[in-house]
């Protein structure tokens, strides 16, 4: 039979593609039911198909829900009949229909309390094709309840086999595609927050498509590094920032500008971070230009900065090379806020720090020769230090400007006074 061949095909596909056989069979059953209803069913019917893989057979049923007046709307029909009058007529017809079946032929599916509660929320309109009255069901089947479903066997049609098989084959192909997309989605879902590599496939003004093997990643412009040049077929590393499920497969969003990428690369390059001997406390990054990373180790014998930099800078160089000219400063984290802020402003030497806890503002005092170094080019050094520490940082030169001006003015006045005195002395002498 066609069904035997079809079931063998399902088993073979499930094994080859490593897909869930039960899910494929459920989809095939839905396809058979849809095909049967289209060819031989009636309007309003609910057709159920059941495949038995062991016996290699399929059975078709009509499903009806057991109802009574408590679940139905009370409404007058166009013909003037009330719901009760309609139910009395329907009861006679349904008892007659049920008498054609043997009780063992009818399958009873019990309802749950949750399902029954949902039925009670919205009163139903009585439909003989979808509903069977409780009084009628009780005459032929014991222990039935409201909301239970009865499955009545339908005759199997010879022509149905060919039609249903064609429909089912199309469904199986579609199901395989869906299952493969789901498999890829689950695989890349585990890689969110990780570093992966891929080839640049296609470059567009606002995004770049990246070939990741089983899937294509999206590399948006805002996640690109402003001074990097991208060329098709270039192999690069990316940070998987997020993933979404799309109609054509998973949509994987990639980044190279994320501060998390620096963190993950340090975990790869520095075993002490991977083993949690050294901890990354915070990261501040301006992608393509400069980053600051605050590190700490609870083990006094471990130098966290030295562990990250590596012998002759080998470890940190591997990360710097990945991003070209981007500088990475490794900063020692400290519980002491003042010490941490002073460290964050390196390579500048800070004389002292004043903290305002209420406004979360830190004032860093420096000597005149250290001011430009502390602020950095276009304010970058102090800006990154603020992001790293979580404090607003003001850099000021030691000695108030007004005090300096007063001293200069006083000195000038002294010179002028002395000059006047000398002049008067000269005149007197003359």
């Amino acid at each position: 039979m066609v069904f035997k061949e079809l079931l063998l095909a399902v088993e073979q596909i499930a094994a080859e593609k490593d897909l869930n056989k039960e899910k494929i069979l459920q989809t095939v059953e839905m396809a058979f039911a849809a095909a049967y209803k289209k060819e031989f069913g009636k309007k309003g019917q609910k057709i159920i198909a059941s495949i038995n893989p062991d016996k290699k057979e399929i059975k078709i049923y009509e499903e009806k829900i057991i109802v009574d007046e408590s679940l139905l709307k009370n409404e007058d029909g166009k013909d003037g009949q009330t719901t009760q009058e309609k139910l009395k007529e329907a009861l006679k017809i349904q008892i007659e229909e049920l008498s054609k079946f043997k009780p063992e032929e009818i399958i009873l599916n019990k309802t749950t309390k949750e399902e029954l509660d949902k039925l009670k929320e919205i009163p139903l309109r009585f439909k003989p094709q979808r509903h069977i009255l409780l009084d009628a069901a009780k005459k032929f089947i014991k222990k039935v309840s409201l909301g239970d479903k009865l499955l009545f066997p339908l005759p199997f049609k010879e022509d149905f086999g060919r039609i249903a098989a064609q429909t089912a084959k199309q469904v199986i192909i579609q199901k395989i595609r869906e299952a493969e997309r789901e498999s890829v989605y689950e695989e890349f879902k585990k890689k969110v927050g990780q570093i992966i590599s891929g080839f640049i496939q296609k470059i567009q003004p606002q995004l770049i498509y990246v070939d990741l093997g089983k899937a294509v990643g999206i590399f948006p412009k805002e996640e690109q590094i402003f001074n990097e040049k991208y060329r098709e077929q270039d192999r690069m590393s990316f940070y998987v920032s997020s993933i979404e499920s799309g109609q054509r497969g998973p949509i994987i969003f990639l980044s190279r500008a994320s501060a998390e990428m620096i963190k993950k690369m340090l975990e790869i390059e520095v075993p002490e971070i991977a083993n949690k001997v050294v901890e990354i406390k915070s990261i501040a990054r301006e992608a393509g230009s400069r980053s600051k990373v605050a590190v700490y180790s609870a083990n006094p014998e471990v130098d966290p900065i030295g562990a990250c930099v590596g012998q002759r800078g080998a470890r940190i160089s591997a990360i710097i090379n990945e991003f070209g000219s981007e500088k990475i400063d490794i900063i020692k984290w400290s519980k002491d806020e003042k010490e941490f802020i002073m460290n964050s402003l390196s390579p500048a030497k800070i004389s002292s720090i004043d903290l305002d806890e209420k406004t979360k503002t830190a004032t860093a005092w420096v000597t005149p020769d250290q001011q430009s170094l502390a602020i950095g080019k276009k304010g970058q050094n102090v800006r990154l230090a603020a992001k790293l520490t979580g404090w607003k940082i003001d850099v000021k030169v030691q000695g108030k400007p007004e005090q300096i001006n007063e001293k200069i003015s006083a000195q000038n006045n002294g010179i002028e006074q002395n000059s006047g005195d000398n002049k008067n002395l000269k005149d007197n002498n003359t």
Side-chain angles (χ1 to χ4, degrees), residues 196-238:
I196 60 173
S197 60
F199 292 94
I200 292 179
Q201 187 182 75
K202 186 179 179 181
I203 299 175
Q204 292 187 349
Q206 296 302 317
L207 57 86
I208 294 173
Y209 293 97
V210 180
D211 183 0
L212 302 174
K214 292 183 179 180
V216 175
I218 303 297
F219 186 27
K221 191 170 186 67
E222 58 269 20
E223 296 298 333
Q224 299 170 18
I225 297 176
F226 74 95
N227 57 0
E228 277 189 337
K229 293 182 179 180
Y230 305 107
R231 295 179 295 272
E232 291 185 3
Q233 298 306 313
D234 278 0
R235 186 179 182 87
M236 305 185 79
S237 295
F238 300 90

Side-chain angles (χ1 to χ4, degrees), residues 116-127:
L116 183 59
D117 289 340
K118 285 183 179 179
L119 284 173
K120 290 179 178 179
E121 285 178 7
I122 304 175
L124 304 170
R125 288 184 178 179
F126 180 70
K127 297 177 181 179

Side-chain angles (χ1 to χ4, degrees), residues 280-293:
I280 297 174
K281 287 290 187 178
S282 59
I283 299 177
R285 186 183 186 196
E286 292 186 359
S289 180
R290 192 173 184 180
S291 295
K292 285 180 180 284
V293 184

Side-chain angles (χ1 to χ4, degrees), residues 1 3-5 7-8 11 21 25 50-59 61:
M1 274 184 71
F3 297 124
K4 290 183 180 179
E5 296 173 1
L7 291 171
L8 287 171
E11 292 177 359
K21 179 183 171 182
L25 283 175
S50 177
I51 295 175
N52 189 326
D54 298 327
K55 295 182 179 180
K56 291 184 171 56
E57 65 179 12
I58 183 169
K59 290 186 177 180
Y61 298 93

Side-chain angles (χ1 to χ4, degrees), residues 45 82 249 275-276 327 340 404 413 421:
Q45 276 185 317
T82 64
N275 297 331
K276 298 183 179 180
K327 296 178 181 179
F340 182 32
I404 295 172
N413 289 336
D421 293 343

